[in-house]
Amino acid sequence: MEWSVINSLSRKKSISQLLSETQGRDGLKKTLGALDLTMLGIGAIIGTGIFVLTGVAAAKYAGPGLILSFIISGIACAFAALVYAEFASSVPVAGSAYTYSYVSLGEFMAWIIGWDLMLEYLLAASTVSIGWSGYFQMLLNGFGIHLPVWASGALGTAPGAVFNLPAVAIALIITLLLSLGVKEAARFNNIIVFVKLGAVLLFILVAVWYVKPANWSPFLPFGVKGVLGGAAVVFFAYIGFDAVSTAAEEVKNPNRDMPIGIIASLIVCTVLYIVVSLILTGIVPYQLLDVAAPVAFALSFIHQDWAAGIISLGAIGGITTVLLVMLYGQTRVFFAMSRDGLLPKIFSNVHPKHKTPFVSTWLTGIVVAVIAGITPINTVAELVNIGTLSAFVLVSIGVIILRKTQPDLPRSFRVPWVPLIPILAAVFCLFLMFQLPLITWIRFFVWLIIGFGIYFGYGIHHSVLGKADLSKQLK
């Protein structure tokens, strides 16, 4: 009996079996190209991180040394991105890290990663919805329009606040868009990405002339520890390139386009983060940056209010696309886990007209809307980071194992210097995990325990792979 359970936990899916599942009536529609993927990645990465987190991380953690925090997080993500690019080009199937783990580490580890990804995407989408609500209300206030206090935020965030109505509304609107088709959602994303890249470039072009090098002194007011703590916080800013890999099954030429989309989006965003953080701390003393909209605040600080207004519009658009990609990523992870039998079949049902996982899309959107409506933003952000980092660690290990177990697997993109690069990816991500507070670890372990209960109570008994193994034994 014990041996049977161990076999169940370690059973792996073959890549040929995964690829066969993407064909036929239940397959997703292949409509995306390299540009769509790159824009999807930029849409996810440039948003809350650059428009919100830069200020908090500078004021509370790193000061002008924020640039080093972004570089450290960027290096960790660069190593992880190479790993993801190899997996995405050789296993072009929905599910991202969950699917990669199923072929390399086995079913139980795949479940853990899938459960981690749920934590990442659900809470990231909720966090972004709350951030969008803040910028949207600032924009309305600028026109003299004020929401009722009860509808302006979650209970406890402000006197009289009960429910964050704008956060709920935007989550449901994006859910509707995603349910209608991935190409329609990608087209919307591409347009908004150009808008927000324009807003970021506007900030750089306007603000660079007001930089005062004296504001960079002291460069490390909180010491090296502050820079490392800042790196763990701003890691949230990079979450998104991994969401590109969840689109693999809907890409026309995944072997070529997946690595391009993942790596190109990360490079573009890392350069922009470094430049913006350098300028931001150069024009405003870091102590003043602990505000909800630091980029717009910085422009007001140098009396460029006309540009601040444009930046606020760009921020709203930018945060909207982050929400779109986070919701998209979650629905595809649901879809993959359900198709494998680890979650109920209803989550992998594909709409006959729109060719989208309709039910899981709406379920995800409703859950995100509820969390965003009733939860303060600071409660969820750090949990997102630890869930993502743990997934990165396991995927990095997985690529080493797959190189050993399936050396002849066709790989249009190969991680250089294996096992060194995957090991560095795992080490960097573990290091950032240990910079997070103890309470975040406690909440993370509670989440994992809940996941164990669902797997052993439902998933292990309904696994498609498990049923196939059982039928072979009976024969």
Side-chain angles (χ1 to χ4, degrees):
M1 179 66 180
E2 289 181 4
W3 181 249
S4 174
V5 172
I6 292 173
N7 283 343
S8 298
L9 298 180
S10 59
R11 58 195 173 208
K12 300 175 183 177
K13 295 193 78 170
S14 69
I15 293 175
S16 59
Q17 181 182 356
L18 279 169
L19 294 176
S20 69
E21 290 173 352
T22 68
Q23 309 301 318
R25 182 175 59 85
D26 294 329
L28 300 173
K29 192 174 181 180
K30 298 183 184 297
T31 59
L32 303 178
L35 178 62
D36 292 318
L37 292 172
T38 303
M39 299 300 272
L40 202 66
I42 295 172
I45 301 170
I46 297 289
T48 310
I50 206 163
F51 292 117
V52 178
L53 285 181
T54 45
V56 175
K60 292 187 174 181
Y61 292 91
L66 177 65
I67 181 177
L68 300 179
S69 299
F70 273 116
I71 290 172
I72 292 169
S73 283
I75 290 171
C77 286
F79 290 141
L82 293 172
V83 172
Y84 268 80
E86 175 168 324
F87 265 125
S89 66
S90 54
V91 192
V93 179
S96 182
Y98 159 76
T99 300
Y100 308 153
S101 301
Y102 216 149
V103 301
S104 59
L105 300 174
E107 184 173 285
F108 182 59
M109 294 306 293
W111 168 265
I112 291 176
I113 287 188
W115 193 242
D116 282 351
L117 290 175
M118 285 190 211
L119 183 72
E120 171 189 346
Y121 291 130
L122 282 175
L123 295 187
S126 302
T127 303
V128 172
S129 297
I130 299 167
W132 185 95
S133 173
Y135 265 99
F136 181 69
Q137 290 183 64
M138 285 175 60
L139 185 67
L140 289 181
N141 294 345
F143 289 103
I145 302 170
H146 302 276
L147 291 177
V149 175
W150 67 267
S152 64
L155 188 67
T157 56
V162 177
F163 190 67
N164 197 330
L165 184 60
V168 172
I170 190 60
L172 295 179
I173 290 169
I174 296 299
T175 299
L176 174 63
L177 179 62
L178 284 170
S179 69
L180 296 178
V182 66
K183 189 61 180 178
E184 290 74 12
R187 191 176 294 119
F188 169 80
N189 176 73
N190 291 353
I191 294 169
I192 301 300
V193 165
F194 279 117
V195 171
K196 68 177 174 181
L197 284 178
V200 173
L201 291 175
L202 176 66
F203 169 76
I204 293 171
L205 292 173
V206 171
V208 69
W209 310 104
Y210 295 87
V211 168
K212 295 179 180 177
N215 286 329
W216 292 329
S217 181
F219 189 68
L220 301 179
F222 303 100
V224 174
K225 185 177 181 181
V227 170
L228 298 177
V233 171
V234 301
F235 181 82
F236 183 92
Y238 285 102
I239 293 173
F241 79 83
D242 61 317
V244 175
S245 62
T246 65
E249 198 168 318
E250 292 155 280
V251 179
K252 288 178 283 189
N253 186 4
N255 291 344
R256 178 181 70 91
D257 294 344
M258 290 303 299
I260 293 173
I262 292 171
I263 295 171
S265 60
L266 186 63
I267 290 172
V268 170
C269 296
T270 300
V271 171
L272 288 176
Y273 276 146
I274 291 171
V275 172
V276 168
S277 60
L278 198 61
I279 293 175
L280 194 66
T281 54
I283 61 177
V284 181
Y286 72 88
Q287 302 94 327
L288 304 179
L289 285 172
D290 188 12
V291 293
V295 176
F297 170 78
L299 288 170
S300 296
F301 186 82
I302 57 176
H303 307 295
Q304 300 295 320
D305 294 297
W306 65 274
I310 296 173
I311 291 293
S312 294
L313 281 172
I316 290 173
I319 295 172
T320 302
T321 61
V322 177
L323 176 59
L324 184 148
V325 180
M326 293 297 108
L327 282 171
Y328 173 82
Q330 174 60 73
T331 60
R332 271 42 182 185
V333 172
F334 262 146
F335 174 82
M337 296 177 78
S338 170
R339 188 165 60 186
D340 292 335
L342 303 184
L343 290 173
K345 179 67 177 173
I346 192 171
F347 295 125
S348 56
N349 288 345
V350 175
H351 194 280
K353 178 182 177 182
H354 304 303
K355 289 294 182 181
T356 59
F358 205 78
V359 174
S360 63
T361 298
W362 275 103
L363 176 69
T364 300
I366 290 169
V367 170
V368 166
V370 171
I371 295 173
I374 64 175
T375 311
I377 192 168
N378 59 338
T379 305
V380 293
E382 286 176 341
L383 268 172
V384 177
N385 288 5
I386 198 168
T388 309
L389 285 164
S390 61
F392 285 4
V393 170
L394 293 176
V395 171
S396 300
I397 295 169
V399 82
I400 299 173
I401 293 174
L402 203 62
R403 282 284 188 97
K404 293 289 185 183
T405 57
Q406 299 191 46
D408 299 324
L409 177 70
R411 295 170 170 88
S412 59
F413 178 86
R414 298 175 67 90
V415 178
W417 305 315
V418 171
L420 177 61
I421 295 297
I423 289 173
L424 286 173
V427 168
F428 265 88
C429 292
L430 276 171
F431 179 75
L432 290 177
M433 286 176 72
F434 285 113
Q435 306 306 311
L436 292 167
L438 177 61
I439 186 64
T440 303
W441 279 89
I442 293 171
R443 290 169 178 159
F444 179 59
F445 282 123
V446 170
W447 177 259
L448 286 180
I449 291 168
I450 295 170
F452 293 162
I454 294 173
Y455 176 74
F456 288 107
Y458 179 90
I460 196 171
H461 305 296
H462 293 82
S463 165
V464 171
L465 204 59
K467 289 179 179 178
D469 290 345
L470 183 61
S471 63
K472 288 179 184 177
Q473 293 173 14
L474 293 176
K475 289 178 181 178

